[in-house]
Amino acid sequence: MTKCDIWYRSDTRRLWLTRRDFSVAATAGLGSFCAGCAVNPATGDQQVMLMSADDERRIGAVEHPKILKEFGGAYEDPKLSGYIAAIGGRLAAASELPDTRFTFTVLNSPIVNAMALPGGYVYVTRGLLALAQNEAEAAGVIGHEIGHVVARHTAARISRAQVTQFGLIGLAVLGSATGLPAGTGRLANTLASLHLQGFSREQEFEADTLGIRYMSRAGYDPEAMATFLSQLRAHSGLRAKIAGHPADSVDQFDIMATHPRTIERIQRAAEAAGPKPPHARNLYRKAYQSAIDGMVFGDDPDVGVIRGREFSHRALRFRFSVPEGFRLINRPTSVIAQNERLRSSIVFDMDTRRSGGSLSGYITRDWAKRRLNDVEGFTVNSLPAVTGWFVMDTKKGRMVVRLIAIRAKRSQIFRFLFISAPNVTERLSRPFRQTTYSFRRLTSREAEMITPLRLRVQKYGRRSRKDLLRRMQVESHAEGWFELLNGYIADKRRSAGETVRLVV
Ligand SMILES: [Zn+2]
C-alpha cells in the first residue's frame, strides 16, 4: 500500500470539482440540470452534485445487498446489533443530518473494516468490533462513517467520476433520473470499486473531523479516535507477522488499506474539533465488554473455517486440506490457497448452475471452454470425478492449469484449479493429488462439531497471565492476540477487578 503521510492543506472550504473540471462541466451545459450545487451543512463546502438525496438512497439500497454478500452477511445477534445501532443513533442525532434515517449493520466478517454507502448505510465488521477497547472507540469508527455520509463523499466522487469518465450521456441519464436511472448498472459498478478503493485523503480527514465532532457532542472522549488507530496499527502488525510478511504490509480488504491514516492526522482533527468539554470524557468500557461477550471470533463455520492447512464448511458439509507452504484464504465465492514462493495457487469453488450431462463434457465444454489434455475419469472418496489440463499464458508468465471436477449431487459440482509454474508442476503433482483426494463430505455429526471461536469476557481475578494465555484457542500467536484484544499496547497493568477478553 502507499503510505499516507501527506498533510491535508488547512483550507477545508473548497469545491469538489477543481476549477478546470468545473469549467468543462459548465461548457457541457451541466450547470442547468445538475441536481444541485449546494453548500454542505457539515463541511460548509459548495458541492457540485449530480445526484439528489433520493438518488443516493436508491443507490444505497442497490448496493446494500452487495456489501452484505462481500462481507459474510449481517451478524445475527440482536443484542449486539441493537447496541451498535443505539451508538449510531446517538452520533447521527449529533450530526448535521439528525433526521436522516441511518441503517447500521454489523457484518459477519473477521476482516477488520468499516464502510458507508450513500443514503445512510453504515457498516462495521465484527472483526473490527473485537479490536475496539471501549464504546468510545467503536463510536469513533461509526462517527467517521456517518461523516462520509453527511459530507456526501461517495456522491461527490461519483459525480466527479461521471464528469471525467462517462461524459454527457451518462450525466444526462443521471440528471433526468426520476425512477431508477438507466445508467444504474454502470454506476453501481463504479460505486462498488469506489467503496473498496476508499475515499481521497481529504475526504478521510474530513470524515475524521466530523466523526470527532459527533463523538464529542454525544459525550464520548474524542481521544478514543486516536487510541483506536493505534489498535488498527497493532492489528496490521500482528497479521503481517502471522502471514510472515513485513510489518507494514496490509491486506487489500483491510481498513488500513481503505483508510490510510496517521496518528498525527487524527490528533489534528481532534484539535480542529476544539477543546474537550468537561463532560466528554466517557469511554464506556464496561458496557462495551458486556456487549461483545460471546461474539464470534475469526471464521464463521457456515461460510467456512480455516484451521492451518485444512478448510471445512459446516453448511455445505465438506473438508479438504492443501499442501504445506500454501496459505488458505476464504473469499465469498471461492477458497484460494497460495504459495507465493513457488508462484503456484489452488482455487476451489462450487458450481450449482449446470446439471446433468457427462462430467467430461462438463469439464471441457462448460468449464474450461477449450480442448484439454489427458481428460480422464476417477473417483474421490467414492464421488465421481474427472480431470484434464492445459497451458496458459498469464500476467505472471506461462502456467500449467489442472482442472478437477467432483460431482457430489446432480447439480452440485465441486471444483479444484491447480495452477503452477511449469518448473514446479512436476514437483507439485503429488501434493496436488493429495489435496484432491483429501476432499470428502462430512457426516452431519462431523459438521456439527465445527464450532466457531468466541470472545469471552471475564474478570482478570487472581489468574496469572500464563494461565490466561493457555486458555486462548487461537491457532498461533496466542500472546500477540491476547495483547491486541486487551489493548495492552497502551496499558500494561491490569487490576484483579478488570475484565479481560479471551478467545475460546
Ligand atoms: Zn473513511
Side-chain angles (χ1 to χ4, degrees), residues 114-116 141 144-145 148 153 198-200 203-205 207-208 255 258-259 261:
M115 59 221 86
V141 174
H144 172 101
E145 298 303 331
H148 280 308
H153 284 160
F199 297 108
S200 72
Q203 290 175 327
E204 287 305 331
F205 181 76
D208 281 337
I255 193 167
T258 51
H259 291 74
R261 288 184 282 168

Side-chain angles (χ1 to χ4, degrees), residues 202-338:
E202 289 83 358
Q203 290 175 327
E204 287 305 331
F205 181 76
E206 197 161 78
D208 281 337
T209 308
L210 293 175
I212 285 168
R213 183 189 294 173
Y214 308 152
M215 281 172 87
S216 266
R217 287 179 184 168
Y220 293 108
D221 185 342
E223 271 166 37
M225 189 80 104
T227 55
F228 187 63
L229 188 59
S230 315
Q231 277 294 89
L232 292 179
R233 306 209 142 216
H235 171 255
S236 291
L238 180 62
R239 280 284 306 274
K241 207 160 136 190
I242 291 169
H245 290 149
D248 56 356
S249 63
V250 171
D251 187 294
Q252 59 160 326
F253 290 96
D254 193 273
I255 193 167
M256 293 298 271
T258 51
H259 291 74
R261 288 184 282 168
T262 62
I263 291 273
E264 298 92 289
R265 273 167 67 162
I266 296 273
Q267 281 165 350
R268 231 170 90 86
E271 278 159 29
K276 206 179 350 178
H279 66 276
R281 296 192 178 279
N282 297 314
L283 295 174
Y284 302 111
R285 178 173 159 85
K286 226 174 171 174
Y288 192 74
Q289 289 283 71
S290 81
I292 61 157
D293 189 11
M295 185 173 73
V296 169
F297 179 84
D299 298 323
D300 180 329
D302 285 333
V303 298
V305 170
I306 295 167
R307 297 274 186 271
R309 292 191 282 120
E310 199 173 73
F311 182 85
S312 311
H313 202 295
R314 185 166 68 183
L316 293 170
R317 282 170 46 186
F318 66 82
R319 175 173 291 161
F320 65 87
S321 57
V322 296
E324 218 163 298
F326 280 75
R327 192 165 71 94
L328 278 162
I329 305 158
N330 191 10
R331 290 279 176 246
T333 55
S334 63
V335 182
I336 299 161
Q338 283 175 317

Side-chain angles (χ1 to χ4, degrees), residues 24 31 41 117 143 390 423:
V24 170
L117 284 179
F390 65 96
N423 62 329

